[in-house]
Amino acid sequence: MNNIQLYQAELLEHYQHPKNYGVISCPDITTGNINPSCGDAVSFTIKVTNFIINDIQFQGKGCVISMATASLFTEFVKHKSMDYILKLTAQDMLNIIKIPLGPTRIRCALLSLEALQSGIQNYKHQ
Ligand code: FES
């Protein structure tokens, strides 16, 4: 198995057995995103302490990449600062999932990043 196959297997594992799947009661942030071209959707509930992501859960329905990325991303952002998450780019998402994606498939990986960034922006401006 080469590295790409290893990372694909890791993503598939996240898709089949997602981490942090569910809804947090009384969240500080509720946010979501839809890919209009396919209808796939993801939503997050988040607990925040001192502008740090303390806890996060997600729900969603979509392709392997979008759902596996959401699961992986919840693990990645936990205990990170909001400002750090706001600075993450598409390239950072590719680094997190560790497999190359074309321009169409990258939309699947960005679904979660965009949801979180817009939720954090709203939280900071309320
Ligand atoms: Fe819809 Fe991936 S095909 S988000």
PDB file of all heavy atoms in Angstrom, residues 61-101:
ATOM      1  N   LYS A  61     -24.799  14.823   5.244  1.00  0.00           N
ATOM      2  CA  LYS A  61     -25.160  13.794   4.281  1.00  0.00           C
ATOM      3  C   LYS A  61     -24.432  14.159   3.002  1.00  0.00           C
ATOM      4  O   LYS A  61     -24.594  15.281   2.495  1.00  0.00           O
ATOM      5  CB  LYS A  61     -26.678  13.818   4.059  1.00  0.00           C
ATOM      6  CG  LYS A  61     -27.221  12.725   3.198  1.00  0.00           C
ATOM      7  CD  LYS A  61     -28.748  12.787   3.179  1.00  0.00           C
ATOM      8  CE  LYS A  61     -29.334  11.921   2.095  1.00  0.00           C
ATOM      9  NZ  LYS A  61     -28.903  12.287   0.740  1.00  0.00           N
ATOM     10  N   GLY A  62     -23.608  13.248   2.513  1.00  0.00           N
ATOM     11  CA  GLY A  62     -22.889  13.598   1.303  1.00  0.00           C
ATOM     12  C   GLY A  62     -21.888  12.539   0.891  1.00  0.00           C
ATOM     13  O   GLY A  62     -21.892  11.423   1.402  1.00  0.00           O
ATOM     14  N   CYS A  63     -21.018  12.944  -0.022  1.00  0.00           N
ATOM     15  CA  CYS A  63     -20.042  12.028  -0.599  1.00  0.00           C
ATOM     16  C   CYS A  63     -18.971  11.650   0.429  1.00  0.00           C
ATOM     17  O   CYS A  63     -18.874  12.257   1.499  1.00  0.00           O
ATOM     18  CB  CYS A  63     -19.396  12.683  -1.815  1.00  0.00           C
ATOM     19  SG  CYS A  63     -18.387  14.116  -1.377  1.00  0.00           S
ATOM     20  N   VAL A  64     -18.163  10.681   0.058  1.00  0.00           N
ATOM     21  CA  VAL A  64     -17.123  10.188   0.976  1.00  0.00           C
ATOM     22  C   VAL A  64     -16.191  11.329   1.392  1.00  0.00           C
ATOM     23  O   VAL A  64     -15.885  11.497   2.576  1.00  0.00           O
ATOM     24  CB  VAL A  64     -16.309   9.052   0.308  1.00  0.00           C
ATOM     25  CG1 VAL A  64     -15.137   8.650   1.190  1.00  0.00           C
ATOM     26  CG2 VAL A  64     -17.210   7.855   0.035  1.00  0.00           C
ATOM     27  N   ILE A  65     -15.749  12.120   0.420  1.00  0.00           N
ATOM     28  CA  ILE A  65     -14.779  13.182   0.744  1.00  0.00           C
ATOM     29  C   ILE A  65     -15.394  14.207   1.694  1.00  0.00           C
ATOM     30  O   ILE A  65     -14.777  14.598   2.689  1.00  0.00           O
ATOM     31  CB  ILE A  65     -14.303  13.923  -0.540  1.00  0.00           C
ATOM     32  CG1 ILE A  65     -13.610  12.961  -1.494  1.00  0.00           C
ATOM     33  CG2 ILE A  65     -13.369  15.081  -0.188  1.00  0.00           C
ATOM     34  CD1 ILE A  65     -12.229  12.538  -1.121  1.00  0.00           C
ATOM     35  N   SER A  66     -16.626  14.655   1.414  1.00  0.00           N
ATOM     36  CA  SER A  66     -17.219  15.701   2.269  1.00  0.00           C
ATOM     37  C   SER A  66     -17.453  15.197   3.692  1.00  0.00           C
ATOM     38  O   SER A  66     -17.175  15.898   4.662  1.00  0.00           O
ATOM     39  CB  SER A  66     -18.518  16.242   1.660  1.00  0.00           C
ATOM     40  OG  SER A  66     -19.517  15.244   1.637  1.00  0.00           O
ATOM     41  N   MET A  67     -17.935  13.979   3.840  1.00  0.00           N
ATOM     42  CA  MET A  67     -18.235  13.469   5.182  1.00  0.00           C
ATOM     43  C   MET A  67     -16.954  13.068   5.929  1.00  0.00           C
ATOM     44  O   MET A  67     -16.806  13.339   7.114  1.00  0.00           O
ATOM     45  CB  MET A  67     -19.199  12.273   5.089  1.00  0.00           C
ATOM     46  CG  MET A  67     -20.579  12.639   4.581  1.00  0.00           C
ATOM     47  SD  MET A  67     -21.415  13.849   5.657  1.00  0.00           S
ATOM     48  CE  MET A  67     -21.319  15.330   4.659  1.00  0.00           C
ATOM     49  N   ALA A  68     -16.027  12.448   5.209  1.00  0.00           N
ATOM     50  CA  ALA A  68     -14.769  12.060   5.866  1.00  0.00           C
ATOM     51  C   ALA A  68     -13.983  13.297   6.279  1.00  0.00           C
ATOM     52  O   ALA A  68     -13.391  13.332   7.361  1.00  0.00           O
ATOM     53  CB  ALA A  68     -13.936  11.196   4.920  1.00  0.00           C
ATOM     54  N   THR A  69     -14.000  14.326   5.431  1.00  0.00           N
ATOM     55  CA  THR A  69     -13.296  15.560   5.774  1.00  0.00           C
ATOM     56  C   THR A  69     -13.923  16.212   6.996  1.00  0.00           C
ATOM     57  O   THR A  69     -13.212  16.719   7.865  1.00  0.00           O
ATOM     58  CB  THR A  69     -13.330  16.561   4.594  1.00  0.00           C
ATOM     59  OG1 THR A  69     -12.818  15.922   3.448  1.00  0.00           O
ATOM     60  CG2 THR A  69     -12.500  17.791   4.884  1.00  0.00           C
ATOM     61  N   ALA A  70     -15.244  16.196   7.070  1.00  0.00           N
ATOM     62  CA  ALA A  70     -15.924  16.791   8.229  1.00  0.00           C
ATOM     63  C   ALA A  70     -15.491  16.086   9.517  1.00  0.00           C
ATOM     64  O   ALA A  70     -15.170  16.732  10.515  1.00  0.00           O
ATOM     65  CB  ALA A  70     -17.442  16.703   8.057  1.00  0.00           C
ATOM     66  N   SER A  71     -15.448  14.768   9.473  1.00  0.00           N
ATOM     67  CA  SER A  71     -15.033  13.992  10.647  1.00  0.00           C
ATOM     68  C   SER A  71     -13.581  14.305  11.019  1.00  0.00           C
ATOM     69  O   SER A  71     -13.267  14.615  12.170  1.00  0.00           O
ATOM     70  CB  SER A  71     -15.195  12.502  10.335  1.00  0.00           C
ATOM     71  OG  SER A  71     -14.597  11.718  11.321  1.00  0.00           O
ATOM     72  N   LEU A  72     -12.715  14.256  10.024  1.00  0.00           N
ATOM     73  CA  LEU A  72     -11.286  14.553  10.237  1.00  0.00           C
ATOM     74  C   LEU A  72     -11.102  15.981  10.757  1.00  0.00           C
ATOM     75  O   LEU A  72     -10.300  16.246  11.666  1.00  0.00           O
ATOM     76  CB  LEU A  72     -10.581  14.398   8.881  1.00  0.00           C
ATOM     77  CG  LEU A  72      -9.092  14.174   8.805  1.00  0.00           C
ATOM     78  CD1 LEU A  72      -8.693  12.921   9.566  1.00  0.00           C
ATOM     79  CD2 LEU A  72      -8.681  14.010   7.334  1.00  0.00           C
ATOM     80  N   PHE A  73     -11.870  16.890  10.201  1.00  0.00           N
ATOM     81  CA  PHE A  73     -11.737  18.310  10.544  1.00  0.00           C
ATOM     82  C   PHE A  73     -12.174  18.570  11.997  1.00  0.00           C
ATOM     83  O   PHE A  73     -11.578  19.399  12.678  1.00  0.00           O
ATOM     84  CB  PHE A  73     -12.581  19.132   9.564  1.00  0.00           C
ATOM     85  CG  PHE A  73     -12.193  20.577   9.477  1.00  0.00           C
ATOM     86  CD1 PHE A  73     -10.864  20.970   9.430  1.00  0.00           C
ATOM     87  CD2 PHE A  73     -13.159  21.574   9.413  1.00  0.00           C
ATOM     88  CE1 PHE A  73     -10.502  22.303   9.349  1.00  0.00           C
ATOM     89  CE2 PHE A  73     -12.813  22.904   9.323  1.00  0.00           C
ATOM     90  CZ  PHE A  73     -11.485  23.271   9.295  1.00  0.00           C
ATOM     91  N   THR A  74     -13.218  17.856  12.454  1.00  0.00           N
ATOM     92  CA  THR A  74     -13.629  18.067  13.858  1.00  0.00           C
ATOM     93  C   THR A  74     -12.483  17.689  14.798  1.00  0.00           C
ATOM     94  O   THR A  74     -12.261  18.342  15.809  1.00  0.00           O
ATOM     95  CB  THR A  74     -14.886  17.251  14.235  1.00  0.00           C
ATOM     96  OG1 THR A  74     -14.650  15.874  13.970  1.00  0.00           O
ATOM     97  CG2 THR A  74     -16.111  17.740  13.507  1.00  0.00           C
ATOM     98  N   GLU A  75     -11.753  16.647  14.445  1.00  0.00           N
ATOM     99  CA  GLU A  75     -10.610  16.253  15.278  1.00  0.00           C
ATOM    100  C   GLU A  75      -9.515  17.315  15.209  1.00  0.00           C
ATOM    101  O   GLU A  75      -8.908  17.655  16.217  1.00  0.00           O
ATOM    102  CB  GLU A  75     -10.011  14.947  14.738  1.00  0.00           C
ATOM    103  CG  GLU A  75     -10.965  13.801  14.741  1.00  0.00           C
ATOM    104  CD  GLU A  75     -10.736  12.888  15.930  1.00  0.00           C
ATOM    105  OE1 GLU A  75      -9.854  12.045  15.848  1.00  0.00           O
ATOM    106  OE2 GLU A  75     -11.443  13.071  16.943  1.00  0.00           O
ATOM    107  N   PHE A  76      -9.305  17.824  14.004  1.00  0.00           N
ATOM    108  CA  PHE A  76      -8.210  18.776  13.780  1.00  0.00           C
ATOM    109  C   PHE A  76      -8.439  20.100  14.504  1.00  0.00           C
ATOM    110  O   PHE A  76      -7.501  20.687  15.059  1.00  0.00           O
ATOM    111  CB  PHE A  76      -8.053  19.024  12.265  1.00  0.00           C
ATOM    112  CG  PHE A  76      -6.963  20.002  11.927  1.00  0.00           C
ATOM    113  CD1 PHE A  76      -5.640  19.604  11.880  1.00  0.00           C
ATOM    114  CD2 PHE A  76      -7.273  21.336  11.666  1.00  0.00           C
ATOM    115  CE1 PHE A  76      -4.634  20.508  11.583  1.00  0.00           C
ATOM    116  CE2 PHE A  76      -6.268  22.252  11.366  1.00  0.00           C
ATOM    117  CZ  PHE A  76      -4.944  21.831  11.324  1.00  0.00           C
ATOM    118  N   VAL A  77      -9.674  20.604  14.506  1.00  0.00           N
ATOM    119  CA  VAL A  77      -9.904  21.963  15.029  1.00  0.00           C
ATOM    120  C   VAL A  77     -10.100  22.010  16.548  1.00  0.00           C
ATOM    121  O   VAL A  77     -10.040  23.078  17.140  1.00  0.00           O
ATOM    122  CB  VAL A  77     -11.114  22.672  14.367  1.00  0.00           C
ATOM    123  CG1 VAL A  77     -10.883  22.828  12.882  1.00  0.00           C
ATOM    124  CG2 VAL A  77     -12.414  21.958  14.658  1.00  0.00           C
ATOM    125  N   LYS A  78     -10.330  20.829  17.150  1.00  0.00           N
ATOM    126  CA  LYS A  78     -10.591  20.829  18.591  1.00  0.00           C
ATOM    127  C   LYS A  78      -9.391  21.405  19.339  1.00  0.00           C
ATOM    128  O   LYS A  78      -8.250  21.021  19.089  1.00  0.00           O
ATOM    129  CB  LYS A  78     -10.874  19.399  19.068  1.00  0.00           C
ATOM    130  CG  LYS A  78     -12.087  19.320  19.976  1.00  0.00           C
ATOM    131  CD  LYS A  78     -12.315  17.920  20.458  1.00  0.00           C
ATOM    132  CE  LYS A  78     -13.509  17.302  19.792  1.00  0.00           C
ATOM    133  NZ  LYS A  78     -13.888  16.017  20.366  1.00  0.00           N
ATOM    134  N   HIS A  79      -9.658  22.337  20.231  1.00  0.00           N
ATOM    135  CA  HIS A  79      -8.648  23.013  21.062  1.00  0.00           C
ATOM    136  C   HIS A  79      -7.774  23.987  20.266  1.00  0.00           C
ATOM    137  O   HIS A  79      -6.723  24.402  20.742  1.00  0.00           O
ATOM    138  CB  HIS A  79      -7.785  22.016  21.849  1.00  0.00           C
ATOM    139  CG  HIS A  79      -8.612  21.004  22.587  1.00  0.00           C
ATOM    140  ND1 HIS A  79      -9.599  21.357  23.487  1.00  0.00           N
ATOM    141  CD2 HIS A  79      -8.651  19.651  22.524  1.00  0.00           C
ATOM    142  CE1 HIS A  79     -10.195  20.265  23.951  1.00  0.00           C
ATOM    143  NE2 HIS A  79      -9.654  19.217  23.373  1.00  0.00           N
ATOM    144  N   LYS A  80      -8.220  24.333  19.058  1.00  0.00           N
ATOM    145  CA  LYS A  80      -7.502  25.363  18.288  1.00  0.00           C
ATOM    146  C   LYS A  80      -8.250  26.696  18.428  1.00  0.00           C
ATOM    147  O   LYS A  80      -9.445  26.733  18.713  1.00  0.00           O
ATOM    148  CB  LYS A  80      -7.415  24.971  16.816  1.00  0.00           C
ATOM    149  CG  LYS A  80      -6.655  23.660  16.591  1.00  0.00           C
ATOM    150  CD  LYS A  80      -5.500  23.877  15.677  1.00  0.00           C
ATOM    151  CE  LYS A  80      -4.527  22.728  15.520  1.00  0.00           C
ATOM    152  NZ  LYS A  80      -4.942  21.356  15.631  1.00  0.00           N
ATOM    153  N   SER A  81      -7.523  27.788  18.199  1.00  0.00           N
ATOM    154  CA  SER A  81      -8.143  29.106  18.346  1.00  0.00           C
ATOM    155  C   SER A  81      -8.967  29.449  17.109  1.00  0.00           C
ATOM    156  O   SER A  81      -8.679  28.978  15.995  1.00  0.00           O
ATOM    157  CB  SER A  81      -7.080  30.177  18.570  1.00  0.00           C
ATOM    158  OG  SER A  81      -6.469  30.495  17.358  1.00  0.00           O
ATOM    159  N   MET A  82      -9.963  30.299  17.329  1.00  0.00           N
ATOM    160  CA  MET A  82     -10.800  30.740  16.210  1.00  0.00           C
ATOM    161  C   MET A  82      -9.972  31.483  15.164  1.00  0.00           C
ATOM    162  O   MET A  82     -10.186  31.305  13.965  1.00  0.00           O
ATOM    163  CB  MET A  82     -11.887  31.667  16.729  1.00  0.00           C
ATOM    164  CG  MET A  82     -12.886  30.961  17.583  1.00  0.00           C
ATOM    165  SD  MET A  82     -14.088  32.168  18.124  1.00  0.00           S
ATOM    166  CE  MET A  82     -15.498  31.141  18.213  1.00  0.00           C
ATOM    167  N   ASP A  83      -9.043  32.303  15.619  1.00  0.00           N
ATOM    168  CA  ASP A  83      -8.241  33.068  14.662  1.00  0.00           C
ATOM    169  C   ASP A  83      -7.404  32.136  13.779  1.00  0.00           C
ATOM    170  O   ASP A  83      -7.235  32.379  12.582  1.00  0.00           O
ATOM    171  CB  ASP A  83      -7.325  34.064  15.390  1.00  0.00           C
ATOM    172  CG  ASP A  83      -8.114  35.268  15.884  1.00  0.00           C
ATOM    173  OD1 ASP A  83      -9.242  35.485  15.386  1.00  0.00           O
ATOM    174  OD2 ASP A  83      -7.624  35.982  16.775  1.00  0.00           O
ATOM    175  N   TYR A  84      -6.903  31.075  14.365  1.00  0.00           N
ATOM    176  CA  TYR A  84      -6.131  30.096  13.594  1.00  0.00           C
ATOM    177  C   TYR A  84      -7.022  29.466  12.514  1.00  0.00           C
ATOM    178  O   TYR A  84      -6.620  29.349  11.354  1.00  0.00           O
ATOM    179  CB  TYR A  84      -5.584  29.023  14.543  1.00  0.00           C
ATOM    180  CG  TYR A  84      -4.898  27.893  13.848  1.00  0.00           C
ATOM    181  CD1 TYR A  84      -3.589  28.022  13.391  1.00  0.00           C
ATOM    182  CD2 TYR A  84      -5.554  26.680  13.614  1.00  0.00           C
ATOM    183  CE1 TYR A  84      -2.956  26.983  12.729  1.00  0.00           C
ATOM    184  CE2 TYR A  84      -4.940  25.637  12.954  1.00  0.00           C
ATOM    185  CZ  TYR A  84      -3.637  25.797  12.516  1.00  0.00           C
ATOM    186  OH  TYR A  84      -3.029  24.762  11.863  1.00  0.00           O
ATOM    187  N   ILE A  85      -8.238  29.101  12.896  1.00  0.00           N
ATOM    188  CA  ILE A  85      -9.143  28.440  11.937  1.00  0.00           C
ATOM    189  C   ILE A  85      -9.531  29.405  10.813  1.00  0.00           C
ATOM    190  O   ILE A  85      -9.639  29.017   9.650  1.00  0.00           O
ATOM    191  CB  ILE A  85     -10.376  27.885  12.654  1.00  0.00           C
ATOM    192  CG1 ILE A  85      -9.929  26.777  13.614  1.00  0.00           C
ATOM    193  CG2 ILE A  85     -11.409  27.333  11.672  1.00  0.00           C
ATOM    194  CD1 ILE A  85     -10.924  26.422  14.672  1.00  0.00           C
ATOM    195  N   LEU A  86      -9.706  30.675  11.167  1.00  0.00           N
ATOM    196  CA  LEU A  86     -10.072  31.663  10.133  1.00  0.00           C
ATOM    197  C   LEU A  86      -8.976  31.806   9.078  1.00  0.00           C
ATOM    198  O   LEU A  86      -9.257  32.194   7.942  1.00  0.00           O
ATOM    199  CB  LEU A  86     -10.358  33.023  10.773  1.00  0.00           C
ATOM    200  CG  LEU A  86     -11.688  33.135  11.512  1.00  0.00           C
ATOM    201  CD1 LEU A  86     -11.822  34.515  12.162  1.00  0.00           C
ATOM    202  CD2 LEU A  86     -12.873  32.885  10.578  1.00  0.00           C
ATOM    203  N   LYS A  87      -7.741  31.491   9.451  1.00  0.00           N
ATOM    204  CA  LYS A  87      -6.631  31.666   8.494  1.00  0.00           C
ATOM    205  C   LYS A  87      -6.406  30.426   7.620  1.00  0.00           C
ATOM    206  O   LYS A  87      -5.588  30.458   6.693  1.00  0.00           O
ATOM    207  CB  LYS A  87      -5.351  31.982   9.265  1.00  0.00           C
ATOM    208  CG  LYS A  87      -5.337  33.391   9.816  1.00  0.00           C
ATOM    209  CD  LYS A  87      -3.964  33.741  10.378  1.00  0.00           C
ATOM    210  CE  LYS A  87      -4.068  34.956  11.281  1.00  0.00           C
ATOM    211  NZ  LYS A  87      -3.559  34.736  12.623  1.00  0.00           N
ATOM    212  N   LEU A  88      -7.094  29.326   7.904  1.00  0.00           N
ATOM    213  CA  LEU A  88      -6.867  28.102   7.116  1.00  0.00           C
ATOM    214  C   LEU A  88      -7.315  28.300   5.669  1.00  0.00           C
ATOM    215  O   LEU A  88      -8.333  28.949   5.401  1.00  0.00           O
ATOM    216  CB  LEU A  88      -7.623  26.926   7.735  1.00  0.00           C
ATOM    217  CG  LEU A  88      -7.123  26.447   9.105  1.00  0.00           C
ATOM    218  CD1 LEU A  88      -8.050  25.373   9.651  1.00  0.00           C
ATOM    219  CD2 LEU A  88      -5.702  25.943   9.036  1.00  0.00           C
ATOM    220  N   THR A  89      -6.555  27.704   4.750  1.00  0.00           N
ATOM    221  CA  THR A  89      -6.829  27.856   3.315  1.00  0.00           C
ATOM    222  C   THR A  89      -7.182  26.495   2.698  1.00  0.00           C
ATOM    223  O   THR A  89      -7.068  25.458   3.363  1.00  0.00           O
ATOM    224  CB  THR A  89      -5.572  28.380   2.597  1.00  0.00           C
ATOM    225  OG1 THR A  89      -4.547  27.384   2.755  1.00  0.00           O
ATOM    226  CG2 THR A  89      -5.097  29.695   3.183  1.00  0.00           C
ATOM    227  N   ALA A  90      -7.532  26.541   1.413  1.00  0.00           N
ATOM    228  CA  ALA A  90      -7.809  25.303   0.682  1.00  0.00           C
ATOM    229  C   ALA A  90      -6.587  24.383   0.720  1.00  0.00           C
ATOM    230  O   ALA A  90      -6.708  23.164   0.878  1.00  0.00           O
ATOM    231  CB  ALA A  90      -8.179  25.628  -0.765  1.00  0.00           C
ATOM    232  N   GLN A  91      -5.405  24.973   0.594  1.00  0.00           N
ATOM    233  CA  GLN A  91      -4.184  24.153   0.635  1.00  0.00           C
ATOM    234  C   GLN A  91      -4.026  23.483   1.999  1.00  0.00           C
ATOM    235  O   GLN A  91      -3.614  22.324   2.092  1.00  0.00           O
ATOM    236  CB  GLN A  91      -2.955  25.030   0.322  1.00  0.00           C
ATOM    237  CG  GLN A  91      -1.649  24.251   0.234  1.00  0.00           C
ATOM    238  CD  GLN A  91      -1.712  23.113  -0.804  1.00  0.00           C
ATOM    239  OE1 GLN A  91      -2.074  23.326  -1.962  1.00  0.00           O
ATOM    240  NE2 GLN A  91      -1.393  21.885  -0.377  1.00  0.00           N
ATOM    241  N   ASP A  92      -4.382  24.202   3.066  1.00  0.00           N
ATOM    242  CA  ASP A  92      -4.314  23.593   4.405  1.00  0.00           C
ATOM    243  C   ASP A  92      -5.238  22.383   4.485  1.00  0.00           C
ATOM    244  O   ASP A  92      -4.899  21.364   5.093  1.00  0.00           O
ATOM    245  CB  ASP A  92      -4.694  24.611   5.489  1.00  0.00           C
ATOM    246  CG  ASP A  92      -3.664  25.721   5.623  1.00  0.00           C
ATOM    247  OD1 ASP A  92      -2.466  25.415   5.518  1.00  0.00           O
ATOM    248  OD2 ASP A  92      -4.069  26.878   5.824  1.00  0.00           O
ATOM    249  N   MET A  93      -6.434  22.502   3.879  1.00  0.00           N
ATOM    250  CA  MET A  93      -7.366  21.362   3.900  1.00  0.00           C
ATOM    251  C   MET A  93      -6.764  20.161   3.171  1.00  0.00           C
ATOM    252  O   MET A  93      -6.896  19.028   3.616  1.00  0.00           O
ATOM    253  CB  MET A  93      -8.711  21.739   3.256  1.00  0.00           C
ATOM    254  CG  MET A  93      -9.554  22.671   4.069  1.00  0.00           C
ATOM    255  SD  MET A  93      -9.822  22.131   5.761  1.00  0.00           S
ATOM    256  CE  MET A  93     -11.128  20.932   5.586  1.00  0.00           C
ATOM    257  N   LEU A  94      -6.102  20.442   2.034  1.00  0.00           N
ATOM    258  CA  LEU A  94      -5.452  19.346   1.306  1.00  0.00           C
ATOM    259  C   LEU A  94      -4.365  18.710   2.166  1.00  0.00           C
ATOM    260  O   LEU A  94      -4.183  17.490   2.166  1.00  0.00           O
ATOM    261  CB  LEU A  94      -4.855  19.860  -0.017  1.00  0.00           C
ATOM    262  CG  LEU A  94      -5.874  20.161  -1.106  1.00  0.00           C
ATOM    263  CD1 LEU A  94      -5.196  20.800  -2.316  1.00  0.00           C
ATOM    264  CD2 LEU A  94      -6.595  18.884  -1.533  1.00  0.00           C
ATOM    265  N   ASN A  95      -3.650  19.553   2.933  1.00  0.00           N
ATOM    266  CA  ASN A  95      -2.609  19.012   3.813  1.00  0.00           C
ATOM    267  C   ASN A  95      -3.217  18.151   4.917  1.00  0.00           C
ATOM    268  O   ASN A  95      -2.624  17.166   5.347  1.00  0.00           O
ATOM    269  CB  ASN A  95      -1.791  20.144   4.446  1.00  0.00           C
ATOM    270  CG  ASN A  95      -0.999  20.927   3.413  1.00  0.00           C
ATOM    271  OD1 ASN A  95      -0.810  20.455   2.291  1.00  0.00           O
ATOM    272  ND2 ASN A  95      -0.556  22.116   3.772  1.00  0.00           N
ATOM    273  N   ILE A  96      -4.417  18.529   5.361  1.00  0.00           N
ATOM    274  CA  ILE A  96      -5.070  17.777   6.435  1.00  0.00           C
ATOM    275  C   ILE A  96      -5.540  16.412   5.922  1.00  0.00           C
ATOM    276  O   ILE A  96      -5.352  15.395   6.579  1.00  0.00           O
ATOM    277  CB  ILE A  96      -6.264  18.580   7.015  1.00  0.00           C
ATOM    278  CG1 ILE A  96      -5.749  19.803   7.780  1.00  0.00           C
ATOM    279  CG2 ILE A  96      -7.117  17.711   7.937  1.00  0.00           C
ATOM    280  CD1 ILE A  96      -6.841  20.820   8.121  1.00  0.00           C
ATOM    281  N   ILE A  97      -6.124  16.398   4.717  1.00  0.00           N
ATOM    282  CA  ILE A  97      -6.653  15.106   4.247  1.00  0.00           C
ATOM    283  C   ILE A  97      -5.589  14.281   3.521  1.00  0.00           C
ATOM    284  O   ILE A  97      -5.761  13.083   3.340  1.00  0.00           O
ATOM    285  CB  ILE A  97      -7.919  15.254   3.381  1.00  0.00           C
ATOM    286  CG1 ILE A  97      -7.636  16.015   2.092  1.00  0.00           C
ATOM    287  CG2 ILE A  97      -9.026  15.963   4.123  1.00  0.00           C
ATOM    288  CD1 ILE A  97      -8.841  16.064   1.184  1.00  0.00           C
ATOM    289  N   LYS A  98      -4.514  14.943   3.087  1.00  0.00           N
ATOM    290  CA  LYS A  98      -3.304  14.278   2.581  1.00  0.00           C
ATOM    291  C   LYS A  98      -3.500  13.496   1.278  1.00  0.00           C
ATOM    292  O   LYS A  98      -2.736  12.579   0.997  1.00  0.00           O
ATOM    293  CB  LYS A  98      -2.727  13.327   3.640  1.00  0.00           C
ATOM    294  CG  LYS A  98      -2.363  13.998   4.953  1.00  0.00           C
ATOM    295  CD  LYS A  98      -1.503  13.063   5.789  1.00  0.00           C
ATOM    296  CE  LYS A  98      -1.342  13.528   7.197  1.00  0.00           C
ATOM    297  NZ  LYS A  98      -2.247  12.902   8.138  1.00  0.00           N
ATOM    298  N   ILE A  99      -4.563  13.805   0.515  1.00  0.00           N
ATOM    299  CA  ILE A  99      -4.642  13.218  -0.824  1.00  0.00           C
ATOM    300  C   ILE A  99      -4.902  14.341  -1.824  1.00  0.00           C
ATOM    301  O   ILE A  99      -5.574  15.316  -1.491  1.00  0.00           O
ATOM    302  CB  ILE A  99      -5.728  12.125  -0.969  1.00  0.00           C
ATOM    303  CG1 ILE A  99      -7.116  12.666  -0.644  1.00  0.00           C
ATOM    304  CG2 ILE A  99      -5.428  10.904  -0.132  1.00  0.00           C
ATOM    305  CD1 ILE A  99      -8.233  11.731  -1.063  1.00  0.00           C
ATOM    306  N   PRO A 100      -4.366  14.218  -3.036  1.00  0.00           N
ATOM    307  CA  PRO A 100      -4.589  15.263  -4.035  1.00  0.00           C
ATOM    308  C   PRO A 100      -6.029  15.229  -4.534  1.00  0.00           C
ATOM    309  O   PRO A 100      -6.603  14.144  -4.692  1.00  0.00           O
ATOM    310  CB  PRO A 100      -3.611  14.897  -5.164  1.00  0.00           C
ATOM    311  CG  PRO A 100      -3.262  13.467  -4.954  1.00  0.00           C
ATOM    312  CD  PRO A 100      -3.535  13.115  -3.527  1.00  0.00           C
ATOM    313  N   LEU A 101      -6.618  16.415  -4.749  1.00  0.00           N
ATOM    314  CA  LEU A 101      -7.994  16.489  -5.257  1.00  0.00           C
ATOM    315  C   LEU A 101      -8.048  17.464  -6.415  1.00  0.00           C
ATOM    316  O   LEU A 101      -7.400  18.505  -6.370  1.00  0.00           O
ATOM    317  CB  LEU A 101      -8.946  16.985  -4.162  1.00  0.00           C
ATOM    318  CG  LEU A 101      -9.158  16.108  -2.926  1.00  0.00           C
ATOM    319  CD1 LEU A 101     -10.048  16.822  -1.927  1.00  0.00           C
ATOM    320  CD2 LEU A 101      -9.762  14.769  -3.310  1.00  0.00           C
TER     321      LEU A 101
END
